[in-house]
Amino acid sequence: MNDIHSTCEWGKGERWGDGETETGMSRLSLSDTDKQARDWFAETTTSLGCTVHTDAMGNQFAIRPGLDNDQPPTYAGSHLDTQPTGGRYDGILGVTAAVEMLKTFNDNWIETSYPVGVVNWTNEEGARFPMSMVSSGVWAESVPLEKAHNLKSVIPANDTATMKSELERIGYLGSVPASYKSTPMAAHFELHIEQGPILEAENRRIGVVQGVQAYKWFTVTVKGRDSHTGATSFQHRADALLTASKMILASHKIASRHKALASTGILTLKPGSTNTVPGFVQFSLDIRSPLDETVEAVEKDCKTAFSAIAAGENAEGVNDDCHPSDRSCNVEWRTDFVNPATHFHKDCISCVQQAGSDLCGGDEVSGKDIGAWGKLMTSGAGHDSVYTNKHCPTSMIFVPCRDGVSHNPAEYSTPEQCGDGANVLMGAVLRYDKLRGER
């Protein structure tokens, strides 16, 4: 907890309470405060006997030797960057708990059969450079290095910096290629706050994460016709904003029907005048479900409904209380990001489950019911573990966060909950190290 709160002096955000540590975080990737956190990571892990290297995306890898160092390390980690108005636990808990694991190994003279590593992934949030999990994506060779290096900063507005220029500026453009081939992993374990309300609501201590749900991101463009608000009747309007609003409502109805999620977080319009009916609107659409086929079904139904709504038809009942118009709009779709459902490795899941049972005193229970202490879960959010899972066995550990709040200054997990997560992380890594030696 001291590491969490002391490192959170770098990039303090909005205050949400009266306590000394009751402030959020605004530590954007590759900022000056991110450099301070990175320097702490490198200095601390080096002092613990690790060798530390940085790759071409600024990912930091600290490796503690094992008895057999001819094999790749078992890694634990997460990220140290935050949202502009984020909290102290998202990502940060996963890194500081992994560093605490190394301290505990040293304090107790624990030798592992194979090396153990801790990783700090760059720009997981995608807040400053708009591609989440981009650096683990480059490591997985799923995202081209040049594309990632050329990502432009969007904070502050009109910033001209790129990922590469900022990596150079803060001294973290590493010489090691960003690739799983150059920095191989035997396994990857990631501790994270749940970012949702389920564990707290069900009074469970640990979430054993089996995978990450599928999601797709789209940009939807609606084109109508600018017109005067006073001189153009409802019947003669091609109102792009009203049409887009109906589409967003329809997406919610369709997703609910499929037991999925649909969300819009960005909406832009032109011309942006009080007395002009907007003729141009773009909005984001985020569709999520644990199943790939459900995401595809929601996308298909949304495209059908949006086309009908643009033509003035009453799809999904969105025109029930609206005056009909004789003029239609056009709708266009652009697919921005596709993330298929991720299924974590059964050995890593088992190591997390057994470590949780050891800590919480649970019985060995098979099947979906693993006991009152924990819950088998699918993550609703993306994490760097999505990309590590492509090239090594992976799993995640969730701990509760108050009211399920995340990406918010008031994000909070108790010291006891953080301690539970840290202990399960260490237990899972040690179990996997033992499992490797038995093969």
Side-chain angles (χ1 to χ4, degrees):
M1 297 311 298
N2 178 69
D3 280 350
I4 287 176
H5 294 311
S6 62
T7 61
C8 284
E9 290 296 300
W10 305 313
K12 274 186 179 179
E14 295 179 12
R15 176 163 290 282
W16 59 267
D18 296 329
E20 183 180 357
T21 63
E22 291 178 348
T23 58
M25 289 297 294
S26 182
R27 187 161 64 214
L28 297 173
S29 184
L30 309 186
S31 62
D32 291 344
T33 53
D34 187 33
K35 172 180 167 50
Q36 291 177 291
R38 288 167 170 276
D39 291 346
W40 166 84
F41 178 88
E43 292 165 5
T44 301
T45 53
T46 299
S47 72
L48 294 171
C50 295
T51 57
V52 182
H53 71 267
T54 304
D55 71 13
M57 286 302 299
N59 298 316
Q60 294 177 279
F61 303 91
I63 301 171
R64 181 182 189 264
L67 297 176
D68 179 357
N69 293 302
D70 292 330
Q71 300 298 318
T74 300
Y75 276 90
S78 194
H79 59 95
L80 290 172
D81 66 308
T82 76
Q83 289 286 330
T85 55
R88 292 178 170 236
Y89 301 88
D90 176 356
I92 298 169
L93 172 61
V95 176
T96 53
V99 171
E100 185 69 22
M101 172 185 70
L102 298 180
K103 293 179 180 180
T104 305
F105 287 173
N106 285 2
D107 289 345
N108 293 277
W109 296 87
I110 294 173
E111 289 185 315
T112 54
S113 298
Y114 301 95
V116 170
V118 177
V119 56
N120 170 34
W121 297 104
T122 300
N123 193 56
E124 189 274 349
E125 293 290 358
R128 185 182 180 197
F129 302 97
M131 183 181 290
S132 60
M133 309 174 296
V134 61
S135 298
S136 55
V138 175
W139 174 90
E141 297 189 0
S142 298
V143 177
L145 176 66
E146 184 177 6
K147 180 178 182 179
H149 273 177
N150 289 332
L151 285 174
K152 289 187 176 181
S153 169
V154 296
I155 302 174
N158 302 316
D159 194 359
T160 60
T162 64
M163 283 205 78
K164 185 176 182 180
S165 71
E166 287 295 88
L167 283 166
E168 291 173 328
R169 184 184 68 84
I170 68 169
Y172 276 93
L173 181 63
S175 58
V176 176
S179 168
Y180 68 93
K181 297 169 185 172
S182 300
T183 306
M185 294 184 172
H188 183 268
F189 291 90
E190 184 173 5
L191 168 63
H192 211 279
I193 59 172
E194 180 194 351
Q195 299 181 286
I198 296 172
L199 291 175
E200 182 183 59
E202 297 185 6
N203 196 31
R204 298 180 191 264
R205 293 169 67 180
I206 297 294
V208 180
V209 186
Q210 297 179 297
V212 178
Q213 68 179 344
Y215 62 93
K216 280 189 174 185
W217 290 354
F218 305 94
T219 296
V220 181
T221 302
V222 182
K223 296 179 180 178
R225 187 173 70 177
D226 301 354
S227 58
H228 195 289
T229 56
T232 312
S233 67
F234 287 154
Q235 182 180 354
H236 296 96
R237 292 184 183 186
D239 189 332
L241 179 56
L242 180 60
T243 302
S245 301
K246 294 175 182 178
M247 292 174 179
I248 294 168
L249 176 59
S251 72
H252 187 275
K253 291 185 175 184
I254 291 166
S256 296
R257 190 163 63 242
H258 286 279
K259 295 181 172 56
L261 295 170
S263 307
T264 293
I266 301 173
L267 189 146
T268 57
L269 61 86
K270 295 177 183 178
S273 169
T274 301
N275 62 345
T276 302
V277 175
F280 177 92
V281 171
Q282 277 190 335
F283 64 91
S284 63
L285 183 63
D286 176 324
I287 300 174
R288 300 188 185 230
S289 169
L291 301 175
D292 292 319
E293 52 266 34
T294 303
V295 171
E296 298 294 334
V298 173
E299 177 189 353
K300 180 181 178 181
D301 287 359
C302 282
K303 284 182 173 177
T304 299
F306 287 12
S307 294
I309 292 168
E313 299 173 20
N314 191 22
E316 300 295 328
V318 296
N319 282 332
D320 284 349
D321 300 315
C322 292
H323 193 288
S325 172
D326 294 337
R327 301 190 181 278
S328 60
C329 294
N330 295 322
V331 59
E332 300 170 359
W333 287 67
R334 184 184 76 215
T335 302
D336 297 321
F337 193 73
V338 178
N339 191 82
T342 299
H343 304 285
F344 290 147
H345 197 280
K346 60 181 179 61
D347 289 344
C348 291
I349 295 170
S350 177
C351 287
V352 172
Q353 182 174 334
Q354 291 171 31
S357 181
D358 287 345
L359 175 71
C360 302
D363 297 326
E364 291 290 339
V365 183
S366 60
K368 293 184 178 180
D369 183 8
I370 62 173
W373 61 269
K375 186 179 183 68
L376 296 172
M377 306 185 74
T378 297
S379 174
H383 301 278
D384 290 307
S385 288
V386 168
Y387 282 117
T388 64
N389 190 66
K390 294 178 181 293
H391 297 288
C392 71
T394 296
S395 187
M396 294 186 68
I397 302 147
F398 279 172
V399 292
C401 54
R402 184 173 56 195
D403 297 327
V405 170
S406 183
H407 287 195
N408 184 296
E411 176 183 277
Y412 180 75
S413 291
T414 67
E416 292 76 18
Q417 290 165 339
C418 294
D420 281 350
N423 277 304
V424 173
L425 178 69
M426 182 176 69
V429 168
L430 289 173
R431 281 185 171 275
Y432 195 82
D433 181 72
K434 182 180 178 182
L435 183 65
R436 291 178 69 184
E438 294 171 350
R439 287 174 175 167

